[in-house]
Each structure stands twice: as structure tokens, then as C-alpha cells.
Amino acid sequence: PVTHYELWNEPNFYVFWCPRPQPEAWAALTLPAARTIHAADPQARVLFAGLSGFRESVGTPPHSVAAGEFIDRALAAQPELAQQIDVVAVHPYGSALRGRPLSVNEFGWPTRGQAERPLAAEAKRAGFVGAVTPALASAACGVEALALHTWNSPEFNPGDAEHWFGVADPVSAEPYPTALAYAAQAALLTGREPPAGSEEALPAEADSAPPDVCPS
């Protein structure tokens, strides 16, 4: 059954809240939705969006709002949100609600393309994921859930990094070493045996540390 509800994706980024992020409008939309979810299922976990990890607001007016500022403005507009939100979802590529756990429900690296995010060749990316997954899970900042971005992507435009986040072949669905490394770590974290062949996917190529993805 569905147990977690993320209300919007990256509303602090103009791409997903046009023409510019509006924390107050997001809060006005989210509060009644959160109330309704909790009324229907008191055990449900409502997530505070999936905030992009901007540490500073950019633009005038800002087209990207810092995660901490977005949370502060949303709570100032709708103080009851502090009681209705169970988990803060972040995409680390601000500060959170004090006392709430974190759901790192989008992290990863593209293998090709042009973007502000760092690139990582497949073997190196598998090493990063193999290192970052257990590190985030054991971080002393209340992380309760992880999700790698993303299962597959088009792999069509060599200049667009968004086309190269996928960890499986977009045609055959054959998992890449990154997917196998993630599967191995996910199994270990949940007390299960790693899938056959996934342990071998944890590469020895670790000549550099992964980019910092831990929320702060």
C-alpha cells in the first residue's frame, strides 16, 4: 500500500513551479492536502515536497529559492504545516524542519552531458553510489529513506545531462553496474542477501571521493 506522500517535486525551482517559486502558494495548497491524507490514513507519512538542495536563492525575483528559505516562508504562511509534515524530502545535488527525519528521495550523477551537476563515468558512478548509499543511511541527520535517480533515461541527446542519469539500459532494462551496486547496498541495509551478481558490481575504482551530496 501507499504509505508516503510527497506533495510536489522541487517547488523551490522555477522549472517545477512557474514562473517562479512561491512558498506561500505551495503552503496554501499543501496544508489542506496534508490534512486530508492524515484524516484518511492516520499512519500515512506526508513529505515536505522534494526540495532541490539550493543553499542560496538565485535571481531577482528568485527563480531558485534556497531550501531553508523556502521552508521558513512556507511555515510562516501556514504555521500548522509544522504539525502536518512528517518527513522533509530533499534532493541533495537548507535547513530542515527541526526534529523531522529526512527522505533523500533523489540523488545520483549523470554519465554524460552538460550540466552544473558533476559527471561521473559508469564505473566511477557505481563506486560513488556504493559509497554514498550506506554513508547517507548512517548519517547522524535523521535520514529514513533513500532513492537513487533514476531507473532509466532516454540516452538520446549527448549534450543533455538529464538524458544520462539512468542506471539501466533504456531499451533492454539491463541494469548497469551503478544499479547493481545500489541493489547490493540496499539489500545489506535492509538485512537481506544481495542479489546474485550485485556484490561483484561494487567497483574497486575509488580513486576520488564522491561529490558531497549530504544535506546540510
Side-chain angles (χ1 to χ4, degrees):
V2 176
T3 60
H4 288 60
Y5 297 83
E6 179 182 285
L7 302 176
W8 217 268
N9 175 68
E10 299 187 359
N12 61 327
F13 187 28
Y14 76 96
V15 171
F16 298 107
W17 193 289
C18 299
R20 61 184 181 276
Q22 296 176 296
E24 295 79 11
W26 176 87
L29 178 71
T30 296
L31 181 57
R35 287 176 182 151
T36 302
I37 291 169
H38 283 136
D41 179 4
Q43 303 304 313
R45 307 277 278 172
V46 175
L47 279 61
F48 191 114
L51 294 174
S52 188
F54 299 118
R55 300 186 180 185
E56 296 181 357
S57 298
V58 178
T60 307
H63 58 73
S64 303
V65 175
E69 178 185 340
F70 191 94
I71 291 174
D72 289 343
R73 287 172 56 185
L75 292 179
Q78 301 289 343
E80 189 189 336
L81 269 178
Q83 283 71 52
Q84 294 292 336
I85 296 297
D86 302 299
V87 182
V88 176
V90 292
H91 299 166
Y93 285 131
S95 60
L97 280 166
R98 188 175 301 277
R100 297 296 192 277
L102 297 176
S103 174
V104 183
N105 57 6
E106 189 176 312
F107 75 99
W109 296 268
T111 55
R112 298 178 64 179
Q114 298 178 351
E116 295 179 0
R117 300 182 176 100
L119 305 180
E122 179 56 37
K124 190 175 293 292
R125 180 174 70 166
F128 286 171
V129 168
V132 166
T133 301
L136 281 173
S138 60
C141 52
V143 175
E144 74 163 29
L146 299 170
L148 183 65
H149 180 72
T150 181
W151 177 245
N152 63 40
S153 50
E155 298 189 5
F156 176 74
N157 184 348
D160 187 348
E162 294 297 328
H163 280 224
W164 302 96
F165 274 96
V167 297
D169 187 283
V171 176
S172 69
E174 186 72 20
Y176 296 151
T178 296
L180 296 176
Y182 184 62
Q185 292 293 353
L188 292 172
L189 288 169
T190 54
R192 297 178 289 112
E193 287 293 323
S198 63
E199 288 182 305
E200 289 78 4
L202 296 173
E205 185 179 348
D207 55 358
S208 64
D212 180 15
V213 298
C214 191
S216 62

